[in-house]
Amino acid sequence: MSSSLIAKDLVHSYGARVVLDGVNLTASAGQRLGLVGENGVGKSTLLRLLAGVEEPDAGEVLRGDDLGFLLQELPFPLTARFSDVIDDALAEIRQASARLGELTEALAERPDDTAVLHEYGTVLEWAQAHDLWDADRRAGVVCAGLGLAGIDPARELGTLSGGQRSRLGLAALLIRRPGTLVLDEPTNHLDDGAMEFLEHHLASLTGVLVLSSHDRVFLDAVCTDIVDLDPALGGPTRYGGTYSRYLDQKRAERARWEQRYAEEQDELKELREAVAVTARDVAHNRPQRDNAKMLYDFKTGRVQKQISRRVRNARLRLDELERDQVRKPPAPLRFHGGLTGEPGEDKTAISVRGIEIAGRLRLATLDITTTSRLLITGGNGAGKSTLLAVLAGSLTPDAGTVLSGRGVRIGLLAQDVAFAEPEKTAQRTYAETLGEDAPPLRGLGLLAPRDLGTRVGALSVGQRRRLALALLIADPPEVLLLDEPTNHISLTLAEELFAALDSAPGAVVIASHDRWLRRDWAGDHLRLEAGRVAV
């Protein structure tokens, strides 16, 4: 059973803002495409269009019926049970199994019935593509691989954490095994073990896979192609190979674009000068001969023809180049802010002693100085976000003490960012929150100029996190706490943020699953397991 996914000339807008304009994409069985690009460039929009969750303003998407899309929330009431989701994922497979049994009996009675034989072949092909005979075992393997094996099947969805519900939705898709999978940030709530399981599982699929992810190691392990939606010479560009290979190709492509633009601008300048001056300057600086007057009338016609031909040729080339010239490569968004303020002296910024939050966190001792670099890791539910909330002072422990140094300001970038007035623009939200003395939002390099006037409620999740970060670092705290900072932000910004750590004078504490970050981390490391420090 073959599968393919084809998008033709997709155009989609939100209000007056065009997000996608003439996007084409083709994916065939066995191809695994990773979408990358700045926040707001249209990755999630394109995935929703491909999945049929939204319809394009123009263009079309050709897809088969057997497509699965990872929804942000499970399409079940919170009173539904864990087992209801698994049973629903297996329902179509069980129906196919039952139908195969019925058709087998029918063929035994009517072996020459062509209609029955044809249906049997169709159902059998579907069953083989969906690995029907291994479905029940696969359900157990997938739940275990995504860290869901210990959950009581009778447990209601409303009692699960958001991360558990997200992983259950992903598990249901993998169990169902559709011919085409469309996944928007499937790694956001996965720990190392679940991430590695998902990598191996997706890499073994024979159908079509299109996804977006902030995890660079994941993109390297899974994708056969990378589709970059950022502005490029020929529009969205597809690169064959892994994410690491894409980075090299992207740099070379950008260099070619910049070189071609520069060469065309030089030629345009020369042509404009030729049309205005050079083409008319026949015999420029040439001394006049004695018989010039006698020859003037004889040569006038020929000279005028030369002038006309030169002017005409220059004008034709100028018109052609002005019409078809390469547009100027847009300046990439570059982070220019400082992550922390100047602490003034190296002293204890936060002191934790004997804290306990029932069922969530227990920590005997932790000291954060004003120059600390601390990476907090651990699986889902290990207590990372809880610890950051305690350090920020937004969560009071049941027992123990948390003391902050005199005059030390602490800022937290939480995973989930919400703004009280979503109808206000990003620029207005920033200005009203910080006042007139705040540095320009545009100058921080966190939001593109075109997004400053966008309503906060219309910003992507990643753009809202960028705005929240801008509010923090416009007047940077002495201690910056970052909860999964690479979730929902562009890969480029992630790399720039971590490069900025080197020059940040204050303390930075990061809770993260990001393996790319952890691989190069040079600061202190605290690993949590089940709310306690792992030895």
Side-chain angles (χ1 to χ4, degrees):
M1 179 178 289
S2 60
S3 56
S4 63
L5 186 62
I6 301 172
K8 297 180 178 180
D9 296 322
L10 295 187
V11 177
H12 196 72
S13 304
Y14 293 109
R17 182 186 172 202
V18 178
V19 179
L20 299 173
D21 188 7
V23 172
N24 295 284
L25 182 145
T26 300
S28 303
Q31 292 183 329
R32 300 184 293 277
L33 276 57
L35 304 184
V36 299
E38 285 292 337
N39 293 117
V41 79
K43 299 186 294 296
S44 293
T45 299
L46 178 56
L47 291 173
R48 289 194 295 269
L49 296 178
L50 294 176
V53 176
E54 293 185 31
E55 291 299 321
D57 299 333
E60 63 177 337
V61 178
L62 305 178
R63 67 179 79 83
D65 296 330
D66 191 22
L67 182 145
F69 179 61
L70 183 61
L71 298 169
Q72 295 298 315
E73 279 293 336
L74 287 167
F76 292 86
L78 294 179
T79 54
R81 297 171 302 174
F82 182 95
S83 60
D84 294 334
V85 178
I86 302 301
D87 288 341
D88 181 76
L90 290 168
E92 194 173 11
I93 290 173
R94 287 169 175 163
Q95 290 171 4
S97 179
R99 185 56 181 159
L100 269 181
E102 294 170 356
L103 293 170
T104 299
E105 292 179 0
L107 281 176
E109 297 174 0
R110 305 186 305 277
D112 297 327
D113 189 325
T114 55
V116 173
L117 189 61
H118 175 73
E119 184 183 357
Y120 179 85
T122 300
V123 176
L124 180 62
E125 184 182 9
W126 187 95
Q128 291 171 332
H130 292 75
D131 202 6
L132 180 150
W133 295 274
D134 193 44
D136 287 306
R137 188 192 71 85
R138 182 167 70 248
V141 170
V142 167
C143 286
L146 295 180
L148 301 169
I151 296 177
D152 183 349
R155 187 170 169 181
E156 292 187 354
L157 301 183
T159 66
L160 301 178
S161 69
Q164 287 173 320
R165 289 198 298 272
S166 175
R167 282 179 281 142
L168 180 55
L170 178 58
L173 273 183
L174 300 184
I175 292 168
R176 186 159 70 84
R177 198 165 180 162
T180 300
L181 263 179
V182 179
L183 306 176
D184 191 0
E185 296 286 358
T187 62
N188 272 352
H189 298 283
L190 304 184
D191 58 19
D192 284 0
M195 197 92 73
E196 291 172 6
F197 168 81
L198 183 62
E199 288 172 358
H200 290 117
H201 190 93
L202 294 180
S204 69
L205 296 181
T206 57
V208 171
L209 174 63
V210 183
L211 60 86
S212 70
S213 176
H214 65 273
D215 190 291
R216 293 157 286 186
V217 177
F218 178 80
L219 291 172
D220 257 350
V222 172
C223 295
T224 60
D225 300 82
I226 299 294
V227 178
D228 189 347
L229 297 182
D230 280 340
L233 185 56
T237 307
R238 181 167 175 166
Y239 298 88
T242 65
Y243 176 75
S244 293
R245 186 162 184 263
Y246 146 77
L247 289 176
D248 293 334
Q249 296 179 83
K250 171 80 179 262
R251 282 189 286 268
E253 179 68 24
R254 174 77 185 198
R256 286 193 294 269
W257 185 3
E258 291 174 347
Q259 180 180 357
R260 180 174 169 185
Y261 174 78
E263 290 173 349
E264 286 192 356
Q265 293 306 303
D266 288 342
E267 185 178 0
L268 281 168
K269 181 179 178 181
E270 293 174 359
L271 287 169
R272 287 172 183 140
E273 183 179 351
V275 169
V277 180
T278 308
R280 302 182 187 277
D281 194 8
V282 179
H284 177 64
N285 289 333
R286 185 183 303 164
Q288 192 175 51
R289 296 177 303 190
D290 292 340
N291 62 348
K293 179 67 174 68
M294 294 170 47
L295 294 174
Y296 179 79
D297 291 334
F298 176 75
K299 292 187 176 181
T300 294
R302 186 173 63 189
V303 168
Q304 292 302 322
K305 288 181 181 179
Q306 289 175 344
I307 293 172
S308 298
R309 184 170 61 253
R310 292 181 185 181
V311 171
R312 184 172 62 254
N313 290 343
R315 169 55 64 186
L316 286 173
R317 174 56 182 157
L318 179 60
D319 290 344
E320 177 188 17
L321 195 53
E322 287 181 333
R323 183 180 64 249
D324 301 327
Q325 66 177 300
V326 171
R327 65 190 179 97
K328 184 177 181 179
L333 205 58
R334 289 284 181 256
F335 175 65
H336 297 296
L339 288 178
T340 70
E342 178 62 60
E345 60 178 310
D346 190 1
K347 63 181 182 180
T348 300
I350 307 174
S351 178
V352 173
R353 293 294 182 271
I355 64 169
E356 183 172 351
I357 298 177
R360 296 169 62 183
L361 182 67
R362 178 179 291 178
L363 184 62
T365 303
L366 179 63
D367 289 317
I368 306 293
T369 72
T370 51
T371 57
S372 288
R373 296 289 187 273
L374 177 63
L375 177 64
I376 304 171
T377 63
N380 291 311
K384 302 187 300 300
S385 296
T386 300
L387 177 55
L388 287 187
V390 169
L391 296 177
S394 58
L395 178 62
T396 302
D398 301 327
T401 61
V402 181
L403 301 176
S404 58
R406 184 182 299 274
V408 173
R409 292 182 302 118
I410 302 168
L412 169 65
L413 179 65
Q415 286 198 57
D416 300 317
V417 174
F419 292 92
E421 298 177 277
E423 293 304 311
K424 290 185 177 179
T425 66
Q427 180 64 62
R428 185 177 174 188
T429 300
Y430 179 85
E432 291 185 357
T433 303
L434 298 175
E436 297 180 357
D437 295 333
L441 176 56
R442 179 193 298 260
L444 295 176
L446 288 168
L447 283 177
R450 66 176 182 274
D451 298 320
L452 301 183
T454 302
R455 292 183 302 104
V456 169
L459 294 175
S460 70
V461 176
Q463 288 170 319
R464 289 198 297 272
R465 290 202 88 194
R466 284 180 180 239
L467 178 57
L469 180 60
L471 292 170
L472 279 176
I473 66 173
D475 183 16
E478 285 75 38
V479 179
L480 180 62
L481 311 174
L482 301 173
D483 194 356
E484 296 291 355
T486 57
N487 280 8
H488 299 296
I489 68 172
S490 71
L491 301 173
T492 301
L493 177 61
E495 292 173 359
E496 292 182 351
L497 283 179
F498 297 131
L501 287 176
D502 294 336
S503 58
V508 180
V509 181
I510 300 175
S512 181
H513 287 126
D514 192 299
R515 294 169 291 173
W516 199 287
L517 162 66
R518 283 157 35 202
R519 185 176 62 188
D520 298 326
W521 184 257
D524 295 327
H525 186 190
L526 175 68
R527 179 170 178 78
L528 295 176
E529 290 182 1
R532 302 181 184 227
V533 176
V535 179

